[in-house]
Amino acid sequence: EAGVAQSPRYKIIEKRQSVAFWCNPISGHATLYWYQQILGQGPKLLIQFQNNGVVDDSQLPKDRFSAERLKGVDSTLKIQPAKLEDSAVYLCASSLVRTETQYFGPGTRLLVL
Amino acid sequence: AQKVTQAQTEISVVEKEDVTLDCVYETRDTTYYLFWYKQPPSGELVFLIRRNSFDEQNEISGRYSWNFQKSTSSFNFTITASQVVDSAVYFCALSERNTGNQFYFGTGTSLTVIP
């Protein structure tokens, strides 16, 4: 069974530029999550989707971050414009349903200069 | 307040030693789940175990074992006869039914196994 796929794996941009990350969850998983992991910390949930609907985006900085999961399968997370403090690993995870174990992708390492 | 506390920031052991990683959680929910994940240098979080709040049985899987004690709100993880490949950051996580099963991660324990 294929795991969670993410791209790109690495991205370097300058502050005020835009960037987008892509995630394809495990086939059949209804719930998709985006996390931000700053160096030395645990992952912090940014947004959670159930199919194509948002369940929780309370910690998403909505002035610069946006995410969508239009067809209820893959998802994109966008940052516009990026700030230095956005440098982190962005992890995507999926689960069969909300109560089940989350499986994580390899992450995208973002460096904002 | 931190819902999941991993007090050990970094641990170093010599290969073949046993090591225990501590995890203390805080919740008022009666239905919750506890998890351990391993994050090797490659960065991907690898699922290790999931326990629900109604199952306090300890679990053993090869060299890994987990001790769940509701009385002390702890879910500790022991690696027996550690190996270099065990070197990673280990995260404990809590999922509460009352908060829509949102995951709360601890800050992680970085384990280094010295050959």
Short mmCIF file of all heavy atoms in Angstrom, two decimals, chain B residues 49 51 55-61 65-69 74-76:
data_model
loop_
_atom_site.label_atom_id
_atom_site.label_comp_id
_atom_site.label_asym_id
_atom_site.label_seq_id
_atom_site.Cartn_x
_atom_site.Cartn_y
_atom_site.Cartn_z
N ILE B 49 2.76 2.81 17.84
CA ILE B 49 1.71 2.16 18.62
C ILE B 49 0.57 3.13 18.90
O ILE B 49 0.78 4.34 18.96
CB ILE B 49 2.25 1.60 19.95
CG1 ILE B 49 1.20 0.74 20.63
CG2 ILE B 49 2.71 2.75 20.87
CD1 ILE B 49 1.71 -0.05 21.81
N ARG B 51 -2.84 3.24 21.66
CA ARG B 51 -3.58 2.62 22.77
C ARG B 51 -4.82 3.45 23.06
O ARG B 51 -4.76 4.68 23.03
CB ARG B 51 -2.74 2.56 24.04
CG ARG B 51 -1.43 1.88 23.91
CD ARG B 51 -1.61 0.43 23.60
NE ARG B 51 -2.01 -0.36 24.76
CZ ARG B 51 -2.32 -1.64 24.69
NH1 ARG B 51 -2.33 -2.26 23.54
NH2 ARG B 51 -2.64 -2.31 25.79
N ASP B 55 -7.84 0.43 27.57
CA ASP B 55 -6.99 -0.75 27.49
C ASP B 55 -5.65 -0.44 28.13
O ASP B 55 -4.77 0.12 27.50
CB ASP B 55 -6.80 -1.16 26.02
CG ASP B 55 -5.98 -2.43 25.88
OD1 ASP B 55 -5.59 -3.01 26.92
OD2 ASP B 55 -5.73 -2.82 24.74
N GLU B 56 -5.49 -0.86 29.39
CA GLU B 56 -4.25 -0.58 30.11
C GLU B 56 -3.25 -1.71 30.04
O GLU B 56 -2.24 -1.69 30.70
CB GLU B 56 -4.55 -0.26 31.58
CG GLU B 56 -5.08 1.13 31.82
CD GLU B 56 -5.07 1.48 33.29
OE1 GLU B 56 -4.01 1.77 33.83
OE2 GLU B 56 -6.16 1.44 33.91
N GLN B 57 -3.53 -2.68 29.22
CA GLN B 57 -2.59 -3.78 29.09
C GLN B 57 -1.28 -3.28 28.50
O GLN B 57 -1.28 -2.54 27.52
CB GLN B 57 -3.15 -4.86 28.16
CG GLN B 57 -3.83 -6.00 28.88
CD GLN B 57 -4.06 -7.17 27.95
OE1 GLN B 57 -4.14 -7.02 26.75
NE2 GLN B 57 -4.15 -8.35 28.51
N ASN B 58 -0.19 -3.70 29.10
CA ASN B 58 1.10 -3.38 28.53
C ASN B 58 1.31 -4.18 27.25
O ASN B 58 0.74 -5.26 27.09
CB ASN B 58 2.21 -3.65 29.52
CG ASN B 58 2.16 -2.70 30.70
OD1 ASN B 58 1.73 -1.57 30.56
ND2 ASN B 58 2.60 -3.16 31.84
N GLU B 59 2.11 -3.64 26.38
CA GLU B 59 2.29 -4.28 25.08
C GLU B 59 3.77 -4.43 24.77
O GLU B 59 4.58 -3.57 25.10
CB GLU B 59 1.61 -3.48 23.98
CG GLU B 59 1.73 -4.13 22.61
CD GLU B 59 0.64 -3.69 21.66
OE1 GLU B 59 -0.41 -3.23 22.14
OE2 GLU B 59 0.84 -3.82 20.45
N ILE B 60 4.10 -5.54 24.17
CA ILE B 60 5.47 -5.81 23.76
C ILE B 60 5.47 -6.14 22.27
O ILE B 60 4.65 -6.93 21.80
CB ILE B 60 6.08 -6.98 24.56
CG1 ILE B 60 6.13 -6.64 26.04
CG2 ILE B 60 7.48 -7.31 24.03
CD1 ILE B 60 6.60 -7.79 26.92
N SER B 61 6.40 -5.53 21.56
CA SER B 61 6.57 -5.83 20.15
C SER B 61 8.06 -5.91 19.86
O SER B 61 8.73 -4.88 19.70
CB SER B 61 5.90 -4.74 19.29
OG SER B 61 6.14 -4.98 17.91
N SER B 65 8.54 -2.06 24.12
CA SER B 65 7.44 -2.33 25.04
C SER B 65 6.90 -1.00 25.55
O SER B 65 7.60 0.01 25.60
CB SER B 65 7.90 -3.22 26.20
OG SER B 65 8.90 -2.58 26.95
N TRP B 66 5.61 -1.04 25.89
CA TRP B 66 4.94 0.17 26.34
C TRP B 66 4.22 -0.09 27.65
O TRP B 66 3.57 -1.13 27.82
CB TRP B 66 3.93 0.65 25.30
CG TRP B 66 4.58 1.15 24.06
CD1 TRP B 66 4.95 2.43 23.79
CD2 TRP B 66 4.95 0.38 22.91
NE1 TRP B 66 5.53 2.51 22.55
CE2 TRP B 66 5.54 1.27 21.99
CE3 TRP B 66 4.85 -0.96 22.56
CZ2 TRP B 66 6.03 0.86 20.75
CZ3 TRP B 66 5.33 -1.38 21.33
CH2 TRP B 66 5.92 -0.47 20.45
N ASN B 67 4.34 0.84 28.58
CA ASN B 67 3.72 0.74 29.90
C ASN B 67 2.72 1.88 30.05
O ASN B 67 3.10 3.04 30.17
CB ASN B 67 4.81 0.82 30.98
CG ASN B 67 4.24 0.60 32.36
OD1 ASN B 67 3.22 1.16 32.72
ND2 ASN B 67 4.90 -0.23 33.14
N PHE B 68 1.43 1.53 30.05
CA PHE B 68 0.35 2.52 30.15
C PHE B 68 -0.21 2.46 31.55
O PHE B 68 -0.72 1.42 31.98
CB PHE B 68 -0.73 2.20 29.11
CG PHE B 68 -1.92 3.09 29.12
CD1 PHE B 68 -1.87 4.37 29.63
CD2 PHE B 68 -3.13 2.63 28.60
CE1 PHE B 68 -2.99 5.19 29.62
CE2 PHE B 68 -4.25 3.45 28.59
CZ PHE B 68 -4.19 4.72 29.10
N GLN B 69 -0.13 3.58 32.30
CA GLN B 69 -0.66 3.64 33.65
C GLN B 69 -1.56 4.85 33.78
O GLN B 69 -1.07 5.99 33.87
CB GLN B 69 0.48 3.69 34.66
CG GLN B 69 1.29 2.41 34.74
CD GLN B 69 2.18 2.35 35.98
OE1 GLN B 69 2.47 3.37 36.58
NE2 GLN B 69 2.58 1.14 36.35
N SER B 74 0.59 8.18 32.57
CA SER B 74 1.86 8.00 31.87
C SER B 74 1.76 6.89 30.83
O SER B 74 0.96 5.94 30.97
CB SER B 74 2.97 7.68 32.86
OG SER B 74 2.73 6.43 33.49
N PHE B 75 2.54 7.03 29.80
CA PHE B 75 2.57 6.05 28.72
C PHE B 75 4.01 5.96 28.26
O PHE B 75 4.41 6.56 27.27
CB PHE B 75 1.64 6.49 27.58
CG PHE B 75 1.49 5.48 26.48
CD1 PHE B 75 1.29 4.13 26.74
CD2 PHE B 75 1.52 5.88 25.14
CE1 PHE B 75 1.14 3.21 25.71
CE2 PHE B 75 1.37 4.97 24.11
CZ PHE B 75 1.18 3.64 24.40
N ASN B 76 4.80 5.18 29.01
CA ASN B 76 6.24 5.13 28.78
C ASN B 76 6.62 4.06 27.78
O ASN B 76 5.95 3.03 27.65
CB ASN B 76 6.98 4.89 30.10
CG ASN B 76 6.77 6.05 31.07
OD1 ASN B 76 6.47 7.16 30.66
ND2 ASN B 76 6.93 5.77 32.34
#
